[in-house]
Amino acid sequence: YLDTGVIFERSLANRWRQTLEPRLTYLNSPYVEQSDIPDFDASEATMTYSQAFSHSRFSGNDRIGDTEQIALGLESRFYDTNNVNRWTLRGGQVFYMKDRRVDIDGDTGDVVDDDKRSAILTSASYNGDTYTLTNNFNYDLDQERVDLAQTAMKYTPDSGVVLNLSFSYVYDEDDDEMTKQSNFSTIIP
């Protein structure tokens, strides 16, 4: 696993600061037969900009995903005059050198994913004084469709109240597996 990046920084006219952060990772995890290992807690992680730079395709310990891939990304952060990160903009893509043969369920060994590249992975977030807003958006150029759209807001006024709102859409070829989910949670002291 090789993870490289560099940070460029400049001052803006309004005394804010901006960074430009190109990033490249190379991951080579060879195929290992895992058919005889029971699956207790492994799950496939949702592909987002952050997941593109992870060293594992699955969460849990029951499956080790095989892959040889390069992930490219570009991130920019904007800091206000108090050095608070207000805006973060990110975009990237994963390029696969080999087909993947390990899957969550069933036998491993057959090709389960032969895509040559991921969707375009983007993320934008804003950090206010009492709230944060985060959006993730993935667009598959090969299939010409939105694979993922997520938005989340967290509101935390000084009173100790916490309010979370989110919506998530995750595409799946099987309509029964497609995710369209809204969440609401709160903490009231």
Side-chain angles (χ1 to χ4, degrees):
Y1 181 69
L2 175 68
D3 190 346
T4 64
V6 64
I7 299 174
F8 299 101
E9 184 177 304
R10 71 177 182 157
S11 295
L12 302 174
N14 60 359
R15 297 183 49 215
W16 279 39
R17 206 167 34 91
Q18 179 188 11
T19 65
L20 187 64
E21 307 171 28
R23 186 171 179 190
L24 177 138
T25 62
Y26 171 75
L27 173 61
N28 186 2
S29 179
Y31 170 75
V32 175
E33 173 64 39
Q34 301 171 49
S35 299
D36 294 334
I37 300 172
D39 175 21
F40 292 106
D41 68 347
S43 63
E44 193 160 1
T46 300
M47 181 57 82
T48 62
Y49 179 87
S50 297
Q51 179 62 30
F53 297 98
S54 172
H55 63 275
S56 178
R57 287 178 32 222
F58 304 114
S59 63
N61 297 314
D62 300 327
R63 290 288 180 268
I64 299 172
D66 62 318
T67 189
E68 184 174 5
Q69 68 186 45
I70 293 174
L72 299 173
L74 186 63
E75 188 166 335
S76 185
R77 299 174 192 266
F78 294 86
Y79 295 86
D80 69 12
T81 55
N82 295 319
N83 203 32
V84 175
N85 178 8
R86 293 297 182 178
W87 287 96
T88 302
L89 308 172
R90 306 185 298 182
Q93 191 169 27
V94 179
F95 298 91
Y96 302 102
M97 317 317 223
K98 291 183 179 176
D99 295 341
R100 276 75 58 217
R101 297 169 48 194
V102 175
D103 200 5
I104 291 293
D105 39 66
D107 293 332
T108 64
D110 296 328
V111 173
V112 295
D113 189 350
D114 61 358
D115 291 340
K116 299 299 178 200
R117 62 185 180 181
S118 71
I120 299 288
L121 312 167
T122 65
S123 176
S125 61
Y126 176 76
N127 297 313
D129 292 330
T130 59
Y131 68 95
T132 60
L133 181 62
T134 302
N135 294 288
N136 294 310
F137 185 81
N138 298 355
Y139 186 78
D140 189 325
L141 294 171
D142 297 324
Q143 301 295 323
E144 298 180 346
R145 69 170 180 242
V146 174
D147 277 354
L148 174 102
Q150 295 175 325
T151 188
M153 186 193 80
K154 181 176 185 177
Y155 177 63
T156 53
D158 290 337
S159 63
V161 171
V162 176
L163 175 66
N164 298 301
L165 297 168
S166 67
F167 176 77
S168 183
Y169 165 84
V170 180
Y171 176 83
D172 195 297
E173 291 180 12
D174 181 356
D175 285 342
D176 292 335
E177 298 294 319
M178 196 168 311
T179 302
K180 294 179 183 175
Q181 181 176 338
S182 297
N183 292 308
F184 170 80
S185 64
T186 189
I187 297 173
I188 300 173

